[in-house]
Amino acid sequence: MGAVRIYEVSLRDGLQNEAGVVSTEHKAELARRLVDAGFKDVEFGSFVSPRYVPQMADTDELFQLLPKDRGVRWWALVPNSRGLDRSLDAGVSHIATFMSASETHNLKNVNRTVRESLAGLRKVIATARAEENRVRSYISTVYGCPYEGDVDPQKTVDLALALLDAGADEIALGDTTGVGTPLQVQDVIGRLVDAGVPLDRIACHFHDTQGTAVANAFAAWQAGIRQFDGSLGGIGGCPYAPGATGNAATEDLLHTFAAMGEDTGIDLDATCEAGVFIEEVLGKRLPGRFLQFYKADCERRGCLVPGEDAAKSSRTA
Ligand code: MG
């Protein structure tokens, strides 16, 4: 097992769920801070319809501003072939697709049945691979659905095998509403492994809605998973999943893995400073526990939180 890989989603999953639209300049500044902190996998935007998700309307423009010479894999979310065309036109080479293990959630989220989504994504993935893109495929509501309740783990296994067969490089298991619990996480991972899915092609995307994000990440780590999604300060949620708030906070994951001796290659202080920056840009306190601890600790020691000044100067610039 290699080192832990953190896949940062605040620029997409986080900002997409904010009521306001963050400026392209602020997004680019946040991206630069993530690069400087050592992140190698960043989901920076989404090629969904700007009519439905105006927060992501500048994804093409933002991509042009991102540093391409720092060894960062810049991932964009692509909903369908139209989104893939835009992504390829922009020059993006890492895409993420999404669909749900729950029929009702999938219908509410993308207005397609699971079968229709899979058929559409097979084409998207094949085209993306032919264009030498890397493909990550999210499966949502793996541990439960806000509409249907329990989701049969076999549905996740079947979808994961189908998406890998279609050419996906990795599968990201999404706990869309944060209902998953540690033993359930281990059960699903065990079933995937039994079905022949290699551990290094599975990533985990947790939500802290019910306070289980870090416990779930630890359970997944014990089961052999080394790829985890995090979002600065726990920003984000899902607009089509009632009650879903708070992605797993990147700072909480980094702190926990560092304490376990796991090397992520990412600087925790610099990550917290990026978290402070985005709090300043959004003008609100984020839920991430370690981020709030970091700020209180800085204040107690009388030191300046470096992100704060930079956010102010960048805001007035
Ligand atoms: Mg999320």
Side-chain angles (χ1 to χ4, degrees), residues 142-188:
V142 164
Y143 309 105
C145 167
Y147 308 105
E148 296 181 9
D150 292 344
V151 172
D152 181 355
Q154 189 58 40
K155 289 188 178 171
T156 297
V157 172
D158 293 343
L159 282 181
L161 292 173
L163 290 162
L164 289 172
D165 178 64
D169 294 289
E170 62 191 57
I171 300 296
L173 304 174
D175 184 12
T176 312
T177 49
V179 297
T181 55
L183 297 182
Q184 191 186 8
V185 167
Q186 291 187 343
D187 174 59
V188 170

Side-chain angles (χ1 to χ4, degrees), residues 26 33 273-286 291 295 305-315:
H26 275 144
R33 286 165 180 263
E273 286 152 25
V276 172
F277 171 77
I278 197 63
E279 275 197 331
E280 284 283 313
V281 168
L282 296 172
K284 70 176 189 188
R285 180 188 163 101
L286 295 179
L291 175 62
K295 284 163 57 190
V305 180
E308 262 172 1
D309 264 17
K312 276 170 196 150
S313 59
S314 131
R315 202 166 36 183

Side-chain angles (χ1 to χ4, degrees), residues 53-129:
V53 190
Q55 296 90 335
M56 297 289 114
D58 63 348
T59 295
D60 325 49
E61 197 189 335
L62 176 60
F63 185 66
Q64 306 313 318
L65 300 175
L66 300 175
K68 313 297 192 307
D69 57 349
R70 304 280 300 272
V72 176
R73 293 171 286 273
W74 299 105
W75 298 82
L77 197 69
V78 161
N80 48 34
S81 45
R82 192 179 156 83
L84 178 62
D85 288 344
R86 287 176 58 204
S87 178
L88 291 171
D89 284 348
V92 174
S93 57
H94 292 73
I95 64 153
T97 69
F98 59 97
M99 64 177 298
S100 183
S102 141
E103 199 66 61
T104 314
H105 183 264
N106 202 65
L107 273 170
K108 299 248 185 198
N109 201 21
V110 293
N111 200 26
R112 287 178 174 197
T113 65
V114 165
R115 183 190 285 262
E116 288 166 348
S117 273
L118 190 56
L121 291 185
R122 278 187 179 280
K123 290 182 194 152
V124 168
I125 294 168
T127 308
R129 288 295 304 266

Side-chain angles (χ1 to χ4, degrees), residues 9 12-13 17 175-176 205-207 235-238 246-248:
V9 301
R12 201 281 302 169
D13 194 355
N17 291 294
D175 184 12
T176 312
H205 179 109
F206 293 117
H207 281 203
I235 184 177
C238 177
N247 282 302

Side-chain angles (χ1 to χ4, degrees), residues 150-316:
D150 292 344
V151 172
D152 181 355
Q154 189 58 40
K155 289 188 178 171
T156 297
V157 172
D158 293 343
L159 282 181
L161 292 173
L163 290 162
L164 289 172
D165 178 64
D169 294 289
E170 62 191 57
I171 300 296
L173 304 174
D175 184 12
T176 312
T177 49
V179 297
T181 55
L183 297 182
Q184 191 186 8
V185 167
Q186 291 187 343
D187 174 59
V188 170
I189 293 165
R191 288 170 190 255
L192 286 165
V193 170
D194 288 346
V197 180
L199 278 169
D200 63 3
R201 296 178 75 179
I202 306 172
C204 286
H205 179 109
F206 293 117
H207 281 203
D208 207 27
T209 317
Q210 299 184 43
T212 53
V214 170
N216 285 343
F218 180 71
W221 179 87
Q222 274 193 318
I225 300 297
R226 293 296 180 269
Q227 306 185 64
F228 298 92
D229 291 10
S231 186
L232 287 177
I235 184 177
C238 177
Y240 304 104
T245 54
N247 282 302
T250 305
E251 303 87 344
D252 296 2
L253 293 174
L254 289 177
H255 165 66
T256 303
F257 285 125
M260 290 158 56
E262 280 286 349
D263 179 24
T264 59
I266 299 167
D267 186 280
L268 179 54
D269 282 356
T271 303
C272 289
E273 286 152 25
V276 172
F277 171 77
I278 197 63
E279 275 197 331
E280 284 283 313
V281 168
L282 296 172
K284 70 176 189 188
R285 180 188 163 101
L286 295 179
R289 297 292 290 273
F290 192 88
L291 175 62
Q292 298 308 329
F293 165 81
Y294 174 86
K295 284 163 57 190
D297 192 50
C298 282
E299 200 169 321
R300 185 180 56 79
R301 290 186 285 113
C303 60
L304 188 73
V305 180
E308 262 172 1
D309 264 17
K312 276 170 196 150
S313 59
S314 131
R315 202 166 36 183
T316 50

